[in-house]
Amino acid sequence: NAGVTQTPKFRVLKTGQSMTLLCAQDMNHEYMYWYRQDPGMGLRLIHYSVGEGTTAKGEVPDGYNVSRLKKQNFLLGLESAAPSQTSVYFCASSYSLAGDEQYFGPGTRLTVT
Amino acid sequence: EDQVTQSPEALRLQEGESSSLNCSYTVSGLRGLFWYRQDPGKGPEFLFTLYSAGEEKEKERLKATLTKKESFLHITAPKPEDSATYLCAVQAYSGAGSYQLTFGKGTKLSVIP
């Protein structure tokens, strides 16, 4: 099993450009999450999904959109990138919503200039 | 508001020098406390889940304990390969059927040969 994979690993964008980050999991998990990790701060939840076709906002959702068209995939979109969105983005998945560990992907390092 | 504070921010140990990392938390309705290990440039790797005060879990040189206000990650006779950032996260009910993880900022452990 590959677990959780993320594409791409690195990306540089100019302010105002758009992009989509792809997350895939092969563990048949219902729940998937997008986090961002910034220096000196803990991981913060952007959006999450409780199943195919359903998404919800996390702690820091502004400037991001998500879609879960297939159970194994969770996409994170930036419509108009800003320098404040420079960060490392992690996708995670879990079997259940409460009490189960989340399995994380390797991350995408995004720089917005 | 749920809060998680980890201390110290950084810890340097000689190989074989045992110590403990602290995670103090304030949360209403704890659903679980999670410990993760994160190596540079990688995603967090799950270590332990603790659900109630008094619970303890062990894995190799690591032992996690939980009280009503804090958790400790005890490292016995550490080796250089234990060098990593250790993350603590608490999960509690956050409304609308959602349970979210709140992460601490982590403790960066360096084990010197």
Tab-separated table of all heavy atoms in Angstrom, chain A residues 26-66:
chain	number	residue	atom	x	y	z
A	26	ASP	N	-5.054	5.005	-0.535
A	26	ASP	CA	-5.468	3.661	-0.963
A	26	ASP	C	-5.887	2.797	0.218
A	26	ASP	O	-5.831	1.567	0.151
A	26	ASP	CB	-4.341	2.994	-1.758
A	26	ASP	CG	-3.072	2.805	-0.947
A	26	ASP	OD1	-3.056	3.156	0.257
A	26	ASP	OD2	-2.080	2.311	-1.520
A	27	MET	N	-6.304	3.427	1.308
A	27	MET	CA	-6.695	2.705	2.516
A	27	MET	C	-8.214	2.617	2.677
A	27	MET	O	-8.704	2.169	3.709
A	27	MET	CB	-6.057	3.392	3.734
A	27	MET	CG	-4.540	3.319	3.711
A	27	MET	SD	-3.749	4.263	5.034
A	27	MET	CE	-3.906	5.919	4.380
A	28	ASN	N	-8.941	3.094	1.680
A	28	ASN	CA	-10.407	3.066	1.715
A	28	ASN	C	-10.978	3.882	2.875
A	28	ASN	O	-12.034	3.548	3.425
A	28	ASN	CB	-10.939	1.628	1.776
A	28	ASN	CG	-12.378	1.543	1.292
A	28	ASN	OD1	-12.796	2.275	0.397
A	28	ASN	ND2	-13.147	0.645	1.890
A	29	HIS	N	-10.255	4.952	3.250
A	29	HIS	CA	-10.727	5.807	4.342
A	29	HIS	C	-11.846	6.720	3.879
A	29	HIS	O	-11.820	7.264	2.777
A	29	HIS	CB	-9.572	6.656	4.877
A	29	HIS	CG	-8.607	5.875	5.702
A	29	HIS	ND1	-7.371	6.371	6.069
A	29	HIS	CD2	-8.693	4.641	6.251
A	29	HIS	CE1	-6.735	5.478	6.809
A	29	HIS	NE2	-7.522	4.413	6.928
A	30	GLU	N	-12.832	6.908	4.765
A	30	GLU	CA	-13.926	7.824	4.461
A	30	GLU	C	-13.511	9.282	4.619
A	30	GLU	O	-13.988	10.150	3.912
A	30	GLU	CB	-15.100	7.564	5.397
A	30	GLU	CG	-15.889	6.303	5.099
A	30	GLU	CD	-16.680	6.400	3.795
A	30	GLU	OE1	-16.960	7.530	3.337
A	30	GLU	OE2	-17.005	5.344	3.221
A	31	TYR	N	-12.647	9.560	5.577
A	31	TYR	CA	-12.363	10.930	5.980
A	31	TYR	C	-11.006	11.381	5.457
A	31	TYR	O	-10.010	10.664	5.566
A	31	TYR	CB	-12.405	11.046	7.505
A	31	TYR	CG	-13.729	10.585	8.051
A	31	TYR	CD1	-13.915	9.264	8.437
A	31	TYR	CD2	-14.805	11.466	8.127
A	31	TYR	CE1	-15.144	8.822	8.903
A	31	TYR	CE2	-16.033	11.031	8.595
A	31	TYR	CZ	-16.191	9.710	8.971
A	31	TYR	OH	-17.412	9.287	9.422
A	32	MET	N	-10.984	12.578	4.899
A	32	MET	CA	-9.746	13.154	4.387
A	32	MET	C	-9.648	14.613	4.789
A	32	MET	O	-10.680	15.280	4.998
A	32	MET	CB	-9.663	12.999	2.857
A	32	MET	CG	-9.635	11.540	2.410
A	32	MET	SD	-9.376	11.316	0.648
A	32	MET	CE	-7.621	11.709	0.495
A	33	TYR	N	-8.409	15.107	4.898
A	33	TYR	CA	-8.144	16.423	5.474
A	33	TYR	C	-7.016	17.123	4.709
A	33	TYR	O	-6.117	16.467	4.196
A	33	TYR	CB	-7.694	16.274	6.933
A	33	TYR	CG	-8.503	15.313	7.764
A	33	TYR	CD1	-8.253	13.940	7.733
A	33	TYR	CD2	-9.525	15.774	8.593
A	33	TYR	CE1	-8.998	13.051	8.482
A	33	TYR	CE2	-10.273	14.888	9.361
A	33	TYR	CZ	-9.999	13.531	9.299
A	33	TYR	OH	-10.737	12.656	10.054
A	34	TRP	N	-7.077	18.433	4.687
A	34	TRP	CA	-5.973	19.257	4.219
A	34	TRP	C	-5.532	20.179	5.356
A	34	TRP	O	-6.357	20.880	5.949
A	34	TRP	CB	-6.368	20.109	3.012
A	34	TRP	CG	-6.281	19.398	1.711
A	34	TRP	CD1	-7.301	18.957	0.928
A	34	TRP	CD2	-5.080	19.056	1.008
A	34	TRP	NE1	-6.825	18.348	-0.199
A	34	TRP	CE2	-5.461	18.398	-0.182
A	34	TRP	CE3	-3.715	19.242	1.263
A	34	TRP	CZ2	-4.537	17.920	-1.108
A	34	TRP	CZ3	-2.796	18.770	0.342
A	34	TRP	CH2	-3.204	18.122	-0.833
A	35	TYR	N	-4.199	20.171	5.615
A	35	TYR	CA	-3.600	21.025	6.633
A	35	TYR	C	-2.524	21.886	5.980
A	35	TYR	O	-1.963	21.530	4.945
A	35	TYR	CB	-2.904	20.192	7.724
A	35	TYR	CG	-3.803	19.393	8.617
A	35	TYR	CD1	-4.186	18.100	8.273
A	35	TYR	CD2	-4.238	19.914	9.827
A	35	TYR	CE1	-4.986	17.341	9.123
A	35	TYR	CE2	-5.043	19.171	10.682
A	35	TYR	CZ	-5.410	17.888	10.323
A	35	TYR	OH	-6.205	17.150	11.168
A	36	ARG	N	-2.191	22.970	6.656
A	36	ARG	CA	-1.006	23.727	6.304
A	36	ARG	C	-0.106	23.817	7.535
A	36	ARG	O	-0.600	23.837	8.681
A	36	ARG	CB	-1.328	25.120	5.759
A	36	ARG	CG	-2.069	26.037	6.673
A	36	ARG	CD	-2.282	27.416	6.027
A	36	ARG	NE	-1.039	28.175	5.915
A	36	ARG	CZ	-0.932	29.320	5.240
A	36	ARG	NH1	-1.990	29.854	4.646
A	36	ARG	NH2	0.236	29.949	5.174
A	37	GLN	N	1.198	23.826	7.280
A	37	GLN	CA	2.164	23.897	8.373
A	37	GLN	C	3.116	25.054	8.103
A	37	GLN	O	3.797	25.088	7.076
A	37	GLN	CB	2.958	22.591	8.508
A	37	GLN	CG	3.867	22.547	9.726
A	37	GLN	CD	4.516	21.189	9.901
A	37	GLN	OE1	4.982	20.563	8.955
A	37	GLN	NE2	4.561	20.698	11.142
A	38	ASP	N	3.155	26.002	9.023
A	38	ASP	CA	3.999	27.188	8.902
A	38	ASP	C	4.983	27.212	10.061
A	38	ASP	O	4.671	26.728	11.164
A	38	ASP	CB	3.135	28.447	8.912
A	38	ASP	CG	2.128	28.447	7.777
A	38	ASP	OD1	2.578	28.515	6.623
A	38	ASP	OD2	0.910	28.347	8.033
A	39	PRO	N	6.167	27.799	9.839
A	39	PRO	CA	7.180	27.862	10.906
A	39	PRO	C	6.632	28.513	12.169
A	39	PRO	O	5.967	29.546	12.102
A	39	PRO	CB	8.282	28.716	10.267
A	39	PRO	CG	8.119	28.527	8.802
A	39	PRO	CD	6.642	28.389	8.577
A	40	GLY	N	6.877	27.885	13.299
A	40	GLY	CA	6.448	28.448	14.579
A	40	GLY	C	4.980	28.266	14.890
A	40	GLY	O	4.489	28.781	15.897
A	41	MET	N	4.275	27.531	14.035
A	41	MET	CA	2.849	27.292	14.274
A	41	MET	C	2.560	25.807	14.146
A	41	MET	O	3.262	25.084	13.447
A	41	MET	CB	1.995	28.075	13.275
A	41	MET	CG	2.267	29.568	13.282
A	41	MET	SD	1.097	30.483	12.298
A	41	MET	CE	-0.351	30.378	13.330
A	42	GLY	N	1.526	25.377	14.816
A	42	GLY	CA	1.116	23.988	14.669
A	42	GLY	C	0.411	23.775	13.343
A	42	GLY	O	0.044	24.717	12.654
A	43	LEU	N	0.223	22.532	12.999
A	43	LEU	CA	-0.579	22.211	11.818
A	43	LEU	C	-1.985	22.787	11.995
A	43	LEU	O	-2.593	22.650	13.062
A	43	LEU	CB	-0.675	20.690	11.660
A	43	LEU	CG	0.566	20.008	11.102
A	43	LEU	CD1	0.627	18.565	11.556
A	43	LEU	CD2	0.526	20.081	9.587
A	44	ARG	N	-2.493	23.398	10.917
A	44	ARG	CA	-3.834	23.983	10.975
A	44	ARG	C	-4.711	23.400	9.878
A	44	ARG	O	-4.284	23.304	8.720
A	44	ARG	CB	-3.748	25.514	10.843
A	44	ARG	CG	-3.085	26.183	12.036
A	44	ARG	CD	-3.058	27.695	11.862
A	44	ARG	NE	-2.161	28.101	10.776
A	44	ARG	CZ	-2.124	29.323	10.262
A	44	ARG	NH1	-2.929	30.265	10.719
A	44	ARG	NH2	-1.271	29.602	9.290
A	45	LEU	N	-5.933	23.067	10.240
A	45	LEU	CA	-6.851	22.417	9.326
A	45	LEU	C	-7.471	23.441	8.371
A	45	LEU	O	-8.035	24.445	8.805
A	45	LEU	CB	-7.950	21.700	10.116
A	45	LEU	CG	-8.975	20.919	9.312
A	45	LEU	CD1	-8.313	19.730	8.608
A	45	LEU	CD2	-10.096	20.440	10.226
A	46	ILE	N	-7.408	23.141	7.071
A	46	ILE	CA	-7.970	24.050	6.065
A	46	ILE	C	-9.403	23.626	5.726
A	46	ILE	O	-10.352	24.393	5.907
A	46	ILE	CB	-7.106	24.042	4.784
A	46	ILE	CG1	-5.661	24.401	5.112
A	46	ILE	CG2	-7.672	25.033	3.767
A	46	ILE	CD1	-4.698	24.204	3.937
A	47	HIS	N	-9.542	22.427	5.201
A	47	HIS	CA	-10.838	21.842	4.884
A	47	HIS	C	-10.764	20.346	5.147
A	47	HIS	O	-9.675	19.775	5.190
A	47	HIS	CB	-11.195	22.037	3.399
A	47	HIS	CG	-11.603	23.418	3.005
A	47	HIS	ND1	-12.859	23.930	3.232
A	47	HIS	CD2	-10.916	24.394	2.354
A	47	HIS	CE1	-12.939	25.156	2.756
A	47	HIS	NE2	-11.773	25.470	2.214
A	48	TYR	N	-11.925	19.726	5.271
A	48	TYR	CA	-11.929	18.290	5.402
A	48	TYR	C	-13.159	17.716	4.697
A	48	TYR	O	-14.063	18.452	4.273
A	48	TYR	CB	-11.886	17.858	6.876
A	48	TYR	CG	-13.083	18.264	7.701
A	48	TYR	CD1	-14.102	17.350	7.980
A	48	TYR	CD2	-13.191	19.547	8.229
A	48	TYR	CE1	-15.188	17.716	8.750
A	48	TYR	CE2	-14.274	19.925	9.005
A	48	TYR	CZ	-15.266	19.003	9.262
A	48	TYR	OH	-16.344	19.365	10.024
A	49	SER	N	-13.160	16.389	4.557
A	49	SER	CA	-14.266	15.714	3.863
A	49	SER	C	-14.669	14.477	4.657
A	49	SER	O	-13.814	13.712	5.110
A	49	SER	CB	-13.828	15.306	2.460
A	49	SER	OG	-14.776	14.439	1.873
A	50	VAL	N	-15.965	14.320	4.822
A	50	VAL	CA	-16.469	13.156	5.567
A	50	VAL	C	-16.970	12.069	4.632
A	50	VAL	O	-17.567	11.091	5.080
A	50	VAL	CB	-17.567	13.564	6.568
A	50	VAL	CG1	-17.006	14.554	7.584
A	50	VAL	CG2	-18.774	14.148	5.863
A	51	GLY	N	-16.735	12.228	3.366
A	51	GLY	CA	-17.122	11.202	2.410
A	51	GLY	C	-17.176	11.775	1.009
A	51	GLY	O	-17.119	13.002	0.813
A	52	GLU	N	-17.310	10.891	0.040
A	52	GLU	CA	-17.369	11.310	-1.362
A	52	GLU	C	-18.470	12.344	-1.562
A	52	GLU	O	-19.604	12.146	-1.134
A	52	GLU	CB	-17.626	10.071	-2.223
A	52	GLU	CG	-17.597	10.305	-3.703
A	52	GLU	CD	-17.783	8.992	-4.473
A	52	GLU	OE1	-17.198	7.984	-4.056
A	52	GLU	OE2	-18.528	8.997	-5.464
A	53	GLY	N	-18.109	13.448	-2.158
A	53	GLY	CA	-19.072	14.495	-2.464
A	53	GLY	C	-19.385	15.451	-1.341
A	53	GLY	O	-20.191	16.367	-1.509
A	54	THR	N	-18.755	15.289	-0.179
A	54	THR	CA	-19.012	16.177	0.960
A	54	THR	C	-17.725	16.803	1.448
A	54	THR	O	-16.707	16.124	1.569
A	54	THR	CB	-19.667	15.432	2.132
A	54	THR	OG1	-18.733	14.477	2.650
A	54	THR	CG2	-20.925	14.712	1.700
A	55	THR	N	-17.782	18.117	1.721
A	55	THR	CA	-16.626	18.830	2.263
A	55	THR	C	-17.104	19.805	3.329
A	55	THR	O	-18.288	20.166	3.380
A	55	THR	CB	-15.867	19.601	1.178
A	55	THR	OG1	-16.719	20.588	0.610
A	55	THR	CG2	-15.360	18.670	0.079
A	56	ALA	N	-16.171	20.224	4.182
A	56	ALA	CA	-16.503	21.174	5.236
A	56	ALA	C	-15.284	22.033	5.540
A	56	ALA	O	-14.148	21.648	5.254
A	56	ALA	CB	-16.961	20.439	6.500
A	57	LYS	N	-15.537	23.218	6.111
A	57	LYS	CA	-14.464	24.152	6.424
A	57	LYS	C	-13.781	23.793	7.726
A	57	LYS	O	-14.412	23.344	8.678
A	57	LYS	CB	-15.025	25.572	6.514
A	57	LYS	CG	-15.551	26.104	5.199
A	57	LYS	CD	-16.090	27.526	5.361
A	57	LYS	CE	-16.628	28.052	4.041
A	57	LYS	NZ	-17.167	29.429	4.177
A	58	GLY	N	-12.482	24.038	7.748
A	58	GLY	CA	-11.713	23.868	8.967
A	58	GLY	C	-11.417	25.207	9.606
A	58	GLY	O	-12.209	26.146	9.521
A	59	GLU	N	-10.244	25.306	10.198
A	59	GLU	CA	-9.854	26.502	10.941
A	59	GLU	C	-9.472	27.673	10.043
A	59	GLU	O	-9.756	28.826	10.353
A	59	GLU	CB	-8.679	26.155	11.867
A	59	GLU	CG	-8.161	27.284	12.716
A	59	GLU	CD	-6.907	26.906	13.496
A	59	GLU	OE1	-6.507	25.723	13.434
A	59	GLU	OE2	-6.321	27.782	14.145
A	60	VAL	N	-8.810	27.391	8.916
A	60	VAL	CA	-8.289	28.450	8.051
A	60	VAL	C	-8.697	28.218	6.593
A	60	VAL	O	-7.852	27.978	5.720
A	60	VAL	CB	-6.753	28.586	8.181
A	60	VAL	CG1	-6.370	29.188	9.505
A	60	VAL	CG2	-6.071	27.226	8.001
A	61	PRO	N	-9.981	28.305	6.238
A	61	PRO	CA	-10.436	27.936	4.897
A	61	PRO	C	-10.334	29.022	3.825
A	61	PRO	O	-10.422	28.722	2.632
A	61	PRO	CB	-11.911	27.596	5.139
A	61	PRO	CG	-12.299	28.539	6.248
A	61	PRO	CD	-11.076	28.624	7.136
A	62	ASP	N	-10.156	30.296	4.247
A	62	ASP	CA	-10.231	31.389	3.281
A	62	ASP	C	-9.132	31.293	2.230
A	62	ASP	O	-7.957	31.124	2.541
A	62	ASP	CB	-10.151	32.734	4.017
A	62	ASP	CG	-11.358	32.963	4.908
A	62	ASP	OD1	-12.384	32.278	4.704
A	62	ASP	OD2	-11.277	33.827	5.806
A	63	GLY	N	-9.539	31.460	0.957
A	63	GLY	CA	-8.592	31.435	-0.150
A	63	GLY	C	-8.391	30.055	-0.745
A	63	GLY	O	-7.625	29.908	-1.701
A	64	TYR	N	-9.074	29.058	-0.195
A	64	TYR	CA	-8.932	27.677	-0.663
A	64	TYR	C	-10.299	27.085	-1.007
A	64	TYR	O	-11.293	27.430	-0.376
A	64	TYR	CB	-8.295	26.794	0.411
A	64	TYR	CG	-6.975	27.267	0.939
A	64	TYR	CD1	-6.916	28.034	2.099
A	64	TYR	CD2	-5.779	26.947	0.293
A	64	TYR	CE1	-5.700	28.475	2.603
A	64	TYR	CE2	-4.567	27.376	0.799
A	64	TYR	CZ	-4.537	28.137	1.948
A	64	TYR	OH	-3.340	28.562	2.447
A	65	ASN	N	-10.317	26.175	-1.972
A	65	ASN	CA	-11.506	25.382	-2.228
A	65	ASN	C	-11.083	23.918	-2.355
A	65	ASN	O	-9.922	23.622	-2.637
A	65	ASN	CB	-12.239	25.853	-3.496
A	65	ASN	CG	-11.332	25.835	-4.714
A	65	ASN	OD1	-11.059	24.784	-5.269
A	65	ASN	ND2	-10.873	27.001	-5.128
A	66	VAL	N	-12.030	23.031	-2.123
A	66	VAL	CA	-11.723	21.606	-2.150
A	66	VAL	C	-12.827	20.860	-2.882
A	66	VAL	O	-13.949	21.345	-3.023
A	66	VAL	CB	-11.579	20.995	-0.728
A	66	VAL	CG1	-10.292	21.461	-0.063
A	66	VAL	CG2	-12.792	21.327	0.122
